[in-house]
């Protein structure tokens, strides 16, 4: 009530804070659930801080330290930097409490009393005990306002090589500068280091919200990106500035909604005022602002917001996105109601990006707000949502999959809308959920055969194929009865990931089970790439490991790759092959690559060849390569081929290309005196 926000908004703020606190503990090696964390806080929230850690005692210590120095600016930096040091020390001292509370050791006797003697002995560091503070004082003494400027101090800081010290001093300087002269600080960073403008404005917002927002409104040019980044923070400290600042924010793609999200927060507190401000804005920000009003209003009163939105004229710009945002906001407080009304908004998102359609956005918000209620609605409405929409479940489903793999999979298997949950599950198995692969694989082995089990097994194995080929090979080898021959080939193909994963496949070629090594080796030749594969001499050695009927194709692949670096060397190698079919395929592969790189140079080389099979095959390859861009040249080259079947193919390719573009020229070609009766018959199909 004191903050002027709804109960739901307050709850969400607490939820977000708990998530951040869990992340803080996790980064320090302490894993705990949100329930355990909130229970612990509730249990110990009434314990008082020791007297040595009262705000007054800290301020007194800072003030006493300030009196002992001649550095004019030290009071500001000691207040900011020493305060941070103090917080770090307090958290460091509290960490054993957290470790003790969340320990699973059966000998644990419960949480340590927060008034531990460790905290009572806490002292605030000064220049005598902290090298970092001493270095800061030296920086200010040697380069600060007394002898230079804060800009000069910043230039010195930028040259510090140690990233930790550089960031610490940079943050301290910005805090100091904002306290002294925020206008000067902003002007400096706009001119000298635009990447720090957001940091500068954030500090200013904390110190003087009105002054900071007035400065942004007075001259927004060049700092629009910073305004966009800070808009939600501005809502909290200077909400009246949001409409005017929003007018300077350009929407970037269909995933970014800074203006919408800011107005959603405003509308949660006062939708009438927010609506009035949004309607007064200009497009395209006006539509975004109205969408935000709809979203925030729906969180508080969905039916009322819906009545307003549906009454909008159908010609209203962006009415679809307004309705879509309304449903997303409504889903955060009443998932079932929002999902029931999902048809009121057009299905596609602004740019039809993956999982950005109406259903995807709404179900994502619904699942995040109340996963169980969302699942219940899906059970009552199976098949109502499309495939793209169902992807919106992925994040929340993945969280539960990580927390309890078996029970989550049991739930999906037994759910009335099991088929609707599978797209989200499969998306997770390809992404974050893959980390639980062993638990999922074990669960699959315990299940009776079903379409859900087969489909999930295949998805998981394909995911392993390109993430960890050795794991997929192990599964295929250990449980061959679970995969058909077609499914096995699909898994092996997935290992290559379009060729980008060739190095990983090559690493397991020699250890792959006998039944799969040959198939992997055969496919590997299709993806040879100078940057991704071993030296070509290693691949040349592997050709003999293939069945005889596959060696010609592999030789052509090697020749194509070799020709991309040295065409004539590739052709020379092709000529050394004793098998005529293998040699000719390799030759054609090398020439094809050469023609693609430099058709003129390739044609000059062909012209030097004596009449015979090598020249005819090379000429056919040249004709195929240039027929689309140079049909005249292709025609002339085709007529030089002596071998009848190859000549017919080459003439046919050139004739087909020119017939598409210039039928009159095609008829003229048919009168070419150098054409034989056989040539004419092949081209026209007439005797």
């Amino acid at each position: 009530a004191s903050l002027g926000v709804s109960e739901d908004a307050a709850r969400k703020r607490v939820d977000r804070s708990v998530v951040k606190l869990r992340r803080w503990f996790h980064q320090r090696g302490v894993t705990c659930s949100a329930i355990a964390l909130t229970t612990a806080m509730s249990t110990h929230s009434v314990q008082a801080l020791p007297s040595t850690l009262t705000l007054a005692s800290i301020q007194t210590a800072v003030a006493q330290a300030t009196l002992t120095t001649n550095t004019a600016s030290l009071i500001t930096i000691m207040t900011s930097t020493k305060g941070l040091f103090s917080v770090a020390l307090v958290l460091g001292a509290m960490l054993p409490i957290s470790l003790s509370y969340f320990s699973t050791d059966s000998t644990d006797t419960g949480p340590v009393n927060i008034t531990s003697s460790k905290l009572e002995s806490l002292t605030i560091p000064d220049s005598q005990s902290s090298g970092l503070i001493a270095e800061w004082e030296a920086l200010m003494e040697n380069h600060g306002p007394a002898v230079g400027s804060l800009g000069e101090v910043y230039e010195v800081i930028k040259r510090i090589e140690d990233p930790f010290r550089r960031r610490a001093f940079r943050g301290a300087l910005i805090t100091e500068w904002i306290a002294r002269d925020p206008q000067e600080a902003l002007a400096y960073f706009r001119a000298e280091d635009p990447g720090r403008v957001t940091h500068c404005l954030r500090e200013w917002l904390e110190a003087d919200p009105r002054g900071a927002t007035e400065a942004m409104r007075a001259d927004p040019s060049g700092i629009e990106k910073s305004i966009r980044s800070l808009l939600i923070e501005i809502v909290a400290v200077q909400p009246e500035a949001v409409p005017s600042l929003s007018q300077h924010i350009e929407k970037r793609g269909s995933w970014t909604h800074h203006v919408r999200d800011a107005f959603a927060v405003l509308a949660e507190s006062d939708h009438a005022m927010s609506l009035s401000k949004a309607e007064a804005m200009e497009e395209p920000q006006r539509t975004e602002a109205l969408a935000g009003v709809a979203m925030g209003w729906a969180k508080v009163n969905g039916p009322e917001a819906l009545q307003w939105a549906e009454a909008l004229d159908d010609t209203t710009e962006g009415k679809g996105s307004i309705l879509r945002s309304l449903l997303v906001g409504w889903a955060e407080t009443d998932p079932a109601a929002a999902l029931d009304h999902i048809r009121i908004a057009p299905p596609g998102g602004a740019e039809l990006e993956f999982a950005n359609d109406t259903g995807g956005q709404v179900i994502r918000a619904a699942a995040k707000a109340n996963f169980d209620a969302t699942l219940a609605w899906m059970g009552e409405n199976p098949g109502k949502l499309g495939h793209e929409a169902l992807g919106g479940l992925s994040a929340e489903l993945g969280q539960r999959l990580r927390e309890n793999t078996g029970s989550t999979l049991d739930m999906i298997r037994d759910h009335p809308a099991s088929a609707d949950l599978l797209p989200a599950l499969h998306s997770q198995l390809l992404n974050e959920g893959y980390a639980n692969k062993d638990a999922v694989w074990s669960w699959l082995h315990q299940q009776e055969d079903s379409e859900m089990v087969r489909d999930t097994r295949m998805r998981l194995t394909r995911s392993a194929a390109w993430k960890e080929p050795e794991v997929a090979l192990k599964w295929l080898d250990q449980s061959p009865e679970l995969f058909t021959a077609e499914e096995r080939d699909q898994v092996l193909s997935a290992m290559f990931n379009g060729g980008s994963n060739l190095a990983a496949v090559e690493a397991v070629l020699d250890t792959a089970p006998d039944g799969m090594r040959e198939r992997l080796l055969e496919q590997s030749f299709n993806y040879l790439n100078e940057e991704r594969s071993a030296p070509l001499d290693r691949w040349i050695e592997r050709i003999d490991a293939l069945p005889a009927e596959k060696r010609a194709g592999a030789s052509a692949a090697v020749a194509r790759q070799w020709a991309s670096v040295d065409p004539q060397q590739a052709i020379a190698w092709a000529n050394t092959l004793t098998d005529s079919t293998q040699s000719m395929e390799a030759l054609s592969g090398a020439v094809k690559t050469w023609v693609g790189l430099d058709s003129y140079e390739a044609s000059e080389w062909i012209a030097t060849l004596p009449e015979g099979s090598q020249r005819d095959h090379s000429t056919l390859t040249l004709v195929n390569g240039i027929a689309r861009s140079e049909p005249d040249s292709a025609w002339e080259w085709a007529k030089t081929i002596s071998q009848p079947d190859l000549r017919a193919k080459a003439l046919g390719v050139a004739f087909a290309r020119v017939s598409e573009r210039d039928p009159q020229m095609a008829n003229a070609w048919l009168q070419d005196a150098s054409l034989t009766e056989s040539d004419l018959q092949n081209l026209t199909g007439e005797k």
Side-chain angles (χ1 to χ4, degrees):
S2 299
L3 291 172
V5 298
S6 67
E7 179 180 342
D8 185 65
R11 179 181 60 79
K12 289 186 181 300
R13 292 184 188 181
V14 173
D15 288 345
R16 287 193 293 267
S17 299
V18 171
V19 170
K20 291 179 181 179
L21 191 55
R22 284 184 64 200
R23 189 180 300 123
W24 188 93
F25 278 119
H26 181 71
Q27 290 169 348
R28 289 154 180 81
V30 182
T31 301
C32 55
S33 68
I35 294 175
L37 189 55
T38 51
T39 301
M41 288 191 291
S42 299
T43 303
H44 301 286
S45 61
V46 297
Q47 300 199 34
L49 283 172
S51 59
T52 53
L53 275 182
T54 62
L55 181 60
S57 67
I58 293 175
Q59 291 174 332
T60 301
V62 171
Q64 290 174 345
T66 304
L67 296 174
T68 65
T69 178
N70 293 324
T71 306
S73 65
L74 191 57
I75 185 167
T76 303
I77 192 60
M78 294 294 273
T79 303
S80 59
T81 308
K82 283 193 173 182
L84 291 173
F85 287 160
S86 301
V87 170
L89 287 169
V90 170
L91 291 176
M94 286 175 65
L95 192 55
I97 301 172
S98 308
L99 286 167
S100 174
Y101 188 86
F102 297 110
S103 170
T104 57
D105 190 339
S106 60
T107 61
D108 183 21
T109 56
V112 178
N113 193 308
I114 200 168
T115 58
S116 166
S117 58
K118 291 181 181 179
L119 296 181
E120 294 175 1
S121 61
L122 179 67
T123 58
I124 298 175
D126 56 20
S127 56
Q128 283 72 44
S129 60
S130 168
L132 200 62
I133 293 179
E135 188 176 354
W136 169 258
E137 292 183 16
L139 275 173
M140 295 297 290
E141 242 180 76
N142 297 328
H143 305 283
V147 293
S149 68
L150 291 176
E152 186 177 328
V153 176
Y154 190 68
E155 292 302 316
V156 174
I157 291 172
K158 287 199 300 187
R159 294 193 292 270
I160 296 175
E161 293 185 3
D162 175 38
F164 171 78
R165 290 163 52 245
R166 186 173 62 250
R167 286 194 296 267
F169 292 145
R170 185 171 60 212
L173 178 72
I174 292 174
T175 301
E176 173 80 7
W177 209 336
I178 290 298
R180 286 171 171 269
D181 191 336
Q183 294 280 3
E184 180 188 72
L186 180 59
Y188 173 86
F189 287 109
R190 290 179 79 155
E192 303 297 331
D193 195 351
R196 306 298 162 201
V197 167
T198 302
H199 186 168
C200 179
L201 287 171
R202 179 173 283 111
E203 289 286 343
W204 195 353
L205 273 173
E206 291 182 7
D208 179 11
R210 184 177 297 278
T213 52
E214 285 179 355
M216 294 183 216
R217 284 188 287 188
D219 186 9
S221 60
I223 62 171
E224 293 89 351
K225 183 178 179 181
S226 296
I227 295 174
R228 186 168 66 244
S229 300
L230 296 169
L231 197 60
I232 289 295
E233 296 174 44
I234 294 171
V235 172
V237 296
Q238 198 70 14
E240 61 270 22
V242 170
S244 58
L245 289 175
S246 294
Q247 204 67 65
H248 302 290
I249 297 177
E250 181 182 351
K251 193 172 185 294
R252 301 291 180 88
S254 59
W255 286 100
T256 57
H257 297 283
H258 296 88
V259 173
R260 185 200 69 179
D261 294 345
F263 269 84
V265 177
L266 290 176
E268 282 190 72
S269 299
D270 189 340
H271 67 266
M273 178 275 294
S274 302
L275 178 59
S276 173
K277 297 291 185 182
E279 289 176 332
M281 295 177 69
E282 298 177 359
E283 293 294 355
Q285 290 84 356
R286 182 178 185 272
T287 293
E288 276 290 287
L290 288 173
V293 171
M295 179 181 284
W297 191 350
K299 290 180 184 180
V300 179
N301 191 329
E304 187 177 86
L306 178 61
Q307 185 178 9
W308 161 76
E310 288 187 317
L312 293 173
D313 192 286
D314 287 339
T315 61
T316 301
E317 187 167 354
K319 182 175 180 178
S321 65
I322 293 171
L323 288 168
R324 188 177 300 115
S325 296
L326 184 151
L327 290 173
V328 171
W330 200 355
E332 293 187 17
T333 53
D334 191 344
L339 290 165
D340 281 339
H341 290 83
I342 204 162
R343 301 299 181 196
I344 67 169
E351 296 175 13
L352 294 178
E353 293 182 2
F354 173 72
N356 197 40
D357 66 341
T358 298
Q361 294 183 52
V362 175
I363 202 165
R364 186 163 50 242
K368 187 175 181 180
N370 191 328
F371 190 68
D372 292 334
T374 303
L375 290 182
W377 181 90
M378 292 179 65
E380 296 169 1
N381 299 271
K384 189 172 182 178
L385 298 175
H387 185 273
E388 291 294 314
L390 295 169
L393 285 170
S394 181
E396 292 303 316
L397 189 67
Q399 178 65 31
R400 281 152 182 79
L401 192 68
R402 290 188 290 275
E403 291 174 353
N404 195 324
T405 304
S407 64
T408 301
L409 292 171
D410 287 343
M411 178 274 294
I412 296 172
R413 180 198 61 203
D414 301 333
H415 197 275
S418 177
D420 290 345
L421 297 175
L422 288 180
L425 172 62
H426 296 161
S427 173
Q428 275 296 313
L429 295 181
L430 286 170
N431 297 287
E432 297 91 343
Y434 177 74
N436 299 85
K437 65 181 186 300
D438 293 330
V440 176
W441 182 256
S442 175
W443 181 88
L444 290 168
H445 268 281
Q446 300 167 20
Q447 305 305 306
E448 295 182 2
D449 185 52
S450 69
E451 184 177 351
M452 178 264 187
V453 169
R454 289 193 300 273
D455 204 4
T456 301
R457 181 190 298 117
M458 192 61 184
R459 294 281 182 162
L460 179 63
T461 310
R462 284 171 61 93
S463 182
W466 66 270
K467 289 176 180 288
E468 298 178 284
E470 65 280 5
V471 172
L473 288 173
K474 181 183 73 173
W475 290 346
L476 290 174
D477 186 48
Q478 291 179 348
S479 305
E481 74 283 358
L482 298 177
F483 301 90
T484 65
E486 182 182 358
E487 288 174 338
R488 186 190 64 180
D489 280 349
Q490 289 176 5
V491 172
L492 296 179
S493 296
M495 288 185 187
F496 293 93
N497 196 31
S500 64
N501 213 29
L502 179 58
V505 175
E506 191 174 6
V508 300
L509 267 179
D510 295 333
T511 58
D514 292 339
M516 289 171 268
R517 185 183 306 119
E518 184 180 297
R519 181 67 175 141
L520 280 176
L521 182 57
E522 179 187 337
Q523 291 193 52
S524 294
F525 281 97
N526 297 327
Y527 298 111
L528 290 189
N529 182 293
E530 184 183 9
E531 296 178 358
R532 299 172 183 156
S533 49
L536 287 176
D537 55 357
R538 181 74 184 94
W539 287 99
I540 291 172
E541 293 174 3
R542 289 171 172 154
I543 292 175
D544 290 336
L546 292 170
E549 68 273 14
K550 302 293 184 182
R551 293 172 189 170
S555 299
V558 169
R560 285 194 298 269
Q561 179 57 36
W562 199 339
S564 66
V565 180
D566 191 333
Q568 297 209 35
Q569 283 290 328
I571 291 169
W573 171 74
N575 288 330
T576 68
L577 299 175
T578 56
D579 183 90
S580 59
T581 303
Q582 203 172 331
S583 176
M584 202 56 66
E585 287 289 326
L587 173 67
S588 296
V591 174
K592 181 179 181 179
T593 297
W594 196 358
V595 170
L597 293 172
D598 190 335
S599 61
Y600 180 75
E601 188 180 72
S603 66
E604 284 190 320
W605 172 79
I606 293 172
T608 67
L609 296 175
E611 287 189 10
S613 181
Q614 186 183 60
R615 175 171 177 145
D616 285 350
H617 277 86
S618 298
T619 302
L620 174 60
T621 303
L622 174 66
V623 170
N624 285 326
I626 66 174
R628 187 176 296 278
S629 59
E630 303 175 59
D632 288 353
S633 295
W635 178 258
E636 295 302 321
W637 274 103
K639 292 189 297 181
T640 69
I641 296 176
S642 57
Q643 197 168 322
D645 57 334
L646 299 182
R647 176 185 172 91
K649 287 180 182 179
L651 287 171
V653 168
F655 189 77
R657 294 302 181 210
V658 82
S659 296
E660 297 170 357
R661 299 184 182 182
D662 192 341
Q664 188 173 354
M665 180 179 288
N667 288 328
W669 280 7
L670 293 177
Q671 309 306 317
D672 195 322
S674 60
L675 294 179
T676 66
E677 185 176 341
S678 176
D679 291 335
L680 288 170
Q681 183 178 334
N682 288 327
L683 292 173
T684 63
E686 299 176 358
K687 293 186 178 180

